[in-house]
Amino acid sequence: MKKRELKITYAEFATDSELKESDLELLNRARSAAERAYAPYSNFYVGAALRLKNGEIITGNNQENVAYPSGLCAERVAIYAAGARYPDSAIDTIAVTCKSKAFEVNEPLSPCGACRQAIAEYEMRHKTNIRILLAGEKGIIRMVESISDLLPFMFKAEELKKG
Ligand code: THU
């Protein structure tokens, strides 16, 4: 038996003012999207904004349902809208943020596993990495340059061809 270590890399920005202008614009679009979320069951409002390589910005927010699993996270609402509208354009950057009615979110949002897998699919589909900016209402902003840093050992299409 061998124990191995895996290294992930991420950046932290202390405040909005440390972000480059295009990233701040995207984060602000995600914040506006969070305001329009439909989250009557969790009261947890998530907003996502992604910039495509063609320059378009697509936003999404969580859409809940009384039959809970029928709802969808903000990231996937945005990613699938982008896939539906601009199937040939890769995603350059996605910004995700959240707020709650019950408490102040002082940590960057940590995307759920299903959304990480959806981001991974779009990296593989367009053979390009996706920058991911994660923020809460307050506090640091975290950034990774690829989903590999959020989803090590991800399930890949090659696995289907093995054997
Ligand atoms: N949610 C997202 O929109 N994105 C995530 O990455 C985590 C969770 C939503 C789903 C649900 O509407 C609410 O947050 C509480 O889980």
Side-chain angles (χ1 to χ4, degrees):
M1 191 272 272
K2 274 188 187 152
K3 277 204 171 176
R4 298 191 189 278
E5 280 184 12
L6 195 66
K7 192 173 153 193
I8 65 154
T9 310
Y10 59 94
E12 277 184 6
F13 302 89
T15 61
D16 284 14
S17 59
E18 288 187 7
L19 293 174
K20 64 175 180 175
E21 203 180 311
S22 55
D23 283 347
L24 181 57
E25 183 198 358
L26 208 58
L27 180 55
N28 283 335
R29 292 286 296 268
R31 286 181 174 138
S32 308
E35 301 290 338
R36 301 187 296 270
Y38 178 63
Y41 305 105
S42 69
N43 286 324
F44 192 71
Y45 298 80
V46 186
L50 60 86
R51 180 179 279 104
L52 296 171
K53 297 273 189 199
N54 71 7
E56 288 286 336
I57 292 179
I58 310 279
T59 63
N61 43 34
N62 50 333
Q63 298 294 318
E64 296 188 349
N65 191 284
V66 63
Y68 291 3
S70 304
L72 199 62
C73 293
E75 298 92 316
R76 278 175 288 160
V77 169
I79 290 166
Y80 295 150
R85 293 178 61 194
Y86 301 100
D88 299 326
S89 190
I91 300 170
D92 181 82
T93 305
I94 181 167
V96 195
T97 188
C98 58
K99 61 189 288 185
S100 166
K101 273 192 181 165
F103 58 94
E104 194 174 71
V105 183
N106 294 319
E107 286 286 318
L109 178 106
S110 190
C112 81
C115 288
R116 292 178 199 215
Q117 190 66 42
I119 296 170
E121 185 71 24
Y122 276 70
E123 282 202 356
M124 291 183 269
R125 178 174 172 177
H126 293 290
K127 297 183 179 52
T128 172
N129 71 300
I130 299 174
R131 299 169 66 249
I132 307 164
L133 277 166
L134 302 167
E137 289 177 80
K138 293 251 168 74
I140 60 149
I141 298 145
R142 191 167 287 145
M143 202 260 288
V144 293
E145 298 276 358
S146 165
I147 194 64
S148 314
D149 288 319
L150 289 183
L151 194 63
F153 294 115
M154 71 187 75
F155 186 64
K156 292 185 173 151
E158 297 89 76
E159 318 262 348
L160 295 175
K161 293 169 201 150
K162 274 185 192 158

